[in-house]
């Protein structure tokens, strides 16, 4: 099982075959799970391009998301086993209210779990008040939010304000990511940090956690 084949399976939306293929790459060939993750992400990038070029439509995108989910069923434990640095910092993860994109968020979540963080994934379309309640309940010190729509980036500000109102803003670090964002916009919306991709995101989060 070579890496090109894994990339190809994502591009061709082979939702029924991907789990076995990832398993084979891990068990048979003993491939590095992080290289497998790279191969899958490369496939997802190509799917995104095909959508923009109108070669793929919404159905294909949804299928691509399902394919990634299936792959992660077997990849996740391998990623976790490969990175033993246990850090029990609590992180709340979610996609902002009004936004139903979760593929990037899920990749970040998998990497965070693999790095040993204690993760509370609230899913997508998450209301600011739900985030505030979860901070109170868990004592999480980091919030990582995804926003893929220009229309929903303002929600980051809403979360920032809601945390302030609850008197929690100084006890948490807020990091955000997603295509419409950059460091400058993130800071303007009240976030503490921004990262371009999930791998860099984990690096930033480790820094925010003081590791
Ligand atoms: C897949 C997809 C969908 C799928 C989502 C499936 C799912 N479960 O997520 C579906 C079909 C549901 C969808 C729907 C819509 N979509 Co859409 N979608 C995409 C697409 C093609 C790929 C997004 C993706 O998953 N990329 C792959 C992942 C891995 O990348 P990523 O999300 O950027 O995440 C990486 C980084 O950004 C970062 N990251 C992400 N989050 C975070 C968080 C933190 C804390 C950190 C540190 C890092 C980080 O790390 C990730 C991995 O490295 C993009 C176009 C594109 N090429 O990006 C459009 C796109 C985002 N969609 C778009 C639109 C307009 C829509 C719809 C409004 C379409 C419609 N007419 O209905 C709806 C909106 C529904 C809603 N309310 O959210 C536009 C947004 C335009 C804009 N700027 O506002 C885009 C850009 C397409 C376009 N060019 O027009 N979409």
């Amino acid at each position: 099982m070579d890496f090109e084949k894994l990339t190809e399976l994502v591009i061709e939306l082979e939702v029924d075959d991907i789990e076995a293929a990832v398993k084979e790459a891990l068990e048979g060939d003993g491939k590095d799970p992080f290289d497998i993750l790279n191969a899958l992400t490369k496939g997802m990038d190509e799917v995104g391009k095909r959508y923009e070029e109108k070669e793929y439509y919404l159905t294909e995108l949804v299928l691509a998301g399902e394919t990634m989910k299936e792959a992660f069923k077997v990849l996740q434990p391998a990623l976790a086993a490969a990175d033993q640095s246990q850090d029990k910092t609590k992180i709340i993860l979610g996609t902002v209210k009004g936004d139903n994109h979760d593929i990037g968020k899920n990749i970040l979540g998998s990497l965070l779990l693999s790095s040993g963080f204690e993760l509370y994934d609230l899913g997508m379309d998450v209301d600011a008040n739900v985030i505030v309640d979860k901070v109170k309940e868990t004592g999480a010190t980091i919030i990582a939010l995804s926003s893929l729509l220009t229309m929903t980036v303002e929600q980051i500000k809403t979360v920032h304000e809601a945390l302030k109102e609850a008197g929690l803003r100084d006890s948490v670090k807020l990091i955000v990511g997603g295509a419409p964002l950059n460091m400058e916009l993130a800071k303007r919306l009240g976030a503490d940090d921004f990262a371009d991709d999930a791998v860099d995101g984990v690096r930033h989060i480790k820094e925010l956690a003081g590791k």
Side-chain angles (χ1 to χ4, degrees):
M1 180 59 58
D2 51 30
F3 293 125
E4 287 82 34
K5 178 82 189 149
L6 288 171
T7 306
E8 200 62 25
L9 285 172
V10 177
I11 298 172
E12 299 302 328
L13 317 166
E14 302 288 358
V15 65
D16 294 331
D17 298 340
I18 192 82
E19 190 177 338
V22 173
K23 214 173 189 170
E24 188 191 324
L26 282 169
E27 286 171 1
D29 310 343
K31 293 223 187 327
D32 183 334
F34 284 93
D35 289 337
I36 294 177
L37 175 68
N38 266 341
L40 297 171
T41 308
K42 231 166 105 183
M44 206 47 226
D45 286 345
E46 178 60 26
V47 169
K49 272 191 207 125
R50 290 188 185 191
Y51 177 71
E52 281 169 351
E53 285 158 12
K54 298 203 163 41
E55 194 181 325
Y56 275 3
Y57 294 93
L58 289 186
T59 321
E60 281 83 6
L61 294 185
V62 173
L63 261 181
E66 290 302 313
T67 308
M68 291 295 274
K69 270 187 199 145
E70 288 300 309
F72 269 109
K73 279 189 194 162
V74 270
L75 188 58
Q76 179 64 62
L79 287 168
D83 188 344
Q84 289 300 332
S85 54
Q86 291 298 302
D87 176 329
K88 284 302 171 194
T89 301
K90 293 175 181 171
I91 302 180
I92 291 172
L93 177 68
T95 302
V96 297
K97 191 178 166 74
D99 190 335
N100 286 326
H101 294 83
D102 69 351
I103 298 169
K105 170 189 77 64
N106 291 344
I107 292 176
L108 178 66
S110 298
L111 293 182
L112 289 172
L113 279 175
S114 313
S115 300
F117 286 100
E118 195 170 322
L119 192 68
Y120 298 90
D121 186 346
L122 300 179
M124 48 197 181
D125 188 17
V126 185
D127 193 277
N129 292 324
V130 174
I131 296 171
V132 169
D133 287 348
K134 203 69 186 177
V135 174
K136 286 184 191 156
E137 180 197 322
T138 61
T141 51
I142 294 178
I143 301 170
L145 293 180
S146 189
S147 174
L148 268 278
L149 298 170
T150 311
M151 213 171 63
T152 58
V153 291
E154 279 288 323
Q155 277 298 319
I156 292 165
K157 196 170 173 188
T158 308
V159 173
H160 163 71
E161 298 288 348
L163 287 165
K164 236 163 68 177
E165 203 162 302
L168 291 168
R169 188 61 189 90
D170 293 338
S171 57
V172 292
K173 296 284 184 199
L174 177 58
I175 178 168
V176 296
L181 289 159
N182 54 50
M183 186 64 89
E184 196 202 331
L185 178 57
K187 295 240 159 125
R188 199 154 12 102
L189 293 165
D192 299 298
D193 203 357
F194 160 84
D196 254 328
D197 62 41
V199 172
D200 216 29
V202 173
R203 208 172 301 132
H204 282 229
I205 286 169
K206 281 184 175 165
E207 264 171 39
L208 290 174
K211 302 286 159 190

